[in-house]
Amino acid sequence: MGNAPELIVMLTHNDLTVHNAYDIFDQCRNSRAKFWGFKEEPLPLEQMKKLFRYMKSCGKTTFLEVVAYSEKECIDGAKKAVDCNCDFLLGTTFSDSINEFCRLNHIKYMPFVGKITGRPSVLDGTVKDMIQEAKTYIAKGVYGIDLLGYRYTGDATRLNREFVASVHAPVCIAGSVNSYERLTELKSIAPWAFTIGGAFFENKFDGSFQEQIDKVCEYVNQ
């Protein structure tokens, strides 16, 4: 794509939304990050809606990432994204029913590819198969792909590089971006976006939550 990748700040740790997500966003709403989101579990729906409303009122682009594998759970997650008036649905195992549901409700859909298990999720599969899978979904009209690159059981750097080069749609590298070394890789690979959640809670970028966000934004834009 050529541009610096966008940071999506995820108010999540170990693939679950933190209970004080609203307060953290409130403290960091003036940070450099424009993209914000969290997971479908475990906050009650009304709290999710309230936080997404607040994000939107601050001019943020909003993301709900659903870590679910059965079609029913995935559809339930997509319905939450609609209820919350999100801009993007990240994750879910692809199905035509979710794709159509997102299209009808004007939500940009970016499903997972590969074989995904567990929570926190782990990615398995071949690079070739994942690229082919992505191309199939894009042909069906999804906006882009949510790639659990650094959760891959194989060579993550190779997967991320070949995938982004081969898939001509927005790619979000999600999960375990937790070092400047990985940020440097992402700058050279140039996906559309990447998520950071747990690394901020674990202070991997050294500073307050907002300081870490701004450091990452500054670093990828250098």
Side-chain angles (χ1 to χ4, degrees):
M1 298 267 175
N3 298 325
E6 288 278 357
L7 166 65
I8 305 172
V9 180
M10 295 296 284
L11 295 170
T12 60
H13 198 200
N14 296 321
D15 278 0
L16 294 167
T17 308
V18 296
H19 290 287
N20 59 338
Y22 189 96
D23 295 334
I24 294 172
F25 176 73
D26 183 50
Q27 292 158 17
C28 300
R29 66 188 185 281
N30 296 319
S31 71
R32 293 179 58 169
K34 296 179 292 206
F35 289 2
W36 287 79
F38 49 88
K39 298 291 201 295
E40 87 287 9
E41 297 288 348
L43 292 188
L45 182 61
E46 287 309 312
Q47 285 185 33
M48 293 170 66
K49 288 160 75 169
K50 181 183 175 190
L51 178 47
F52 276 127
R53 266 198 310 273
Y54 187 20
M55 289 175 173
K56 290 250 192 182
S57 75
C58 294
K60 308 302 184 186
T61 301
T62 54
F63 297 77
L64 183 68
E65 188 171 33
V66 173
V67 182
Y69 309 122
S70 74
E71 187 167 358
K72 182 191 180 303
E73 288 174 316
C74 291
I75 279 282
D76 287 347
K79 287 176 178 172
K80 286 182 180 179
V82 170
D83 286 341
C84 292
N85 193 29
C86 282
D87 299 303
F88 287 82
L89 173 64
L90 297 176
T92 80
T93 303
F94 176 87
S95 72
D96 291 312
S97 59
I98 298 171
N99 191 29
E100 179 68 3
F101 181 77
C102 288
R103 188 184 68 77
L104 290 172
N105 288 282
H106 310 293
I107 286 185
K108 296 180 173 80
Y109 182 32
M110 299 180 70
F112 291 136
V113 291
K115 178 173 168 45
I116 301 163
T117 53
R119 187 167 197 146
S121 42
V122 175
L123 175 64
D124 203 0
T126 71
V127 175
K128 181 181 175 186
D129 286 350
M130 284 188 263
I131 289 170
Q132 187 52 53
E133 195 182 338
K135 289 179 175 178
T136 300
Y137 300 161
I138 289 156
K140 290 184 172 193
V142 304
Y143 182 82
I145 301 296
D146 193 19
L147 180 69
L148 294 169
Y150 289 113
R151 303 275 182 85
Y152 185 41
T153 55
D155 183 340
T157 304
R158 177 179 163 237
L159 167 64
N160 291 341
R161 191 173 297 282
E162 291 187 18
F163 193 92
V164 171
S166 304
V167 173
H168 302 299
V171 175
C172 173
I173 306 282
S176 299
V177 177
N178 53 17
S179 66
Y180 284 106
E181 181 185 11
R182 288 184 173 178
L183 291 179
T184 301
E185 271 186 12
L186 290 177
K187 285 169 70 171
S188 71
I189 293 167
W192 172 72
F194 62 98
T195 67
I196 296 182
F200 288 148
F201 289 99
E202 294 165 16
N203 199 26
K204 298 288 189 185
F205 298 99
D206 190 33
S208 69
F209 210 91
Q210 177 162 333
E211 285 167 350
Q212 292 184 81
I213 291 169
D214 289 341
K215 279 182 181 180
V216 168
C217 289
E218 194 174 330
Y219 189 81
V220 295
N221 282 287
Q222 282 171 353

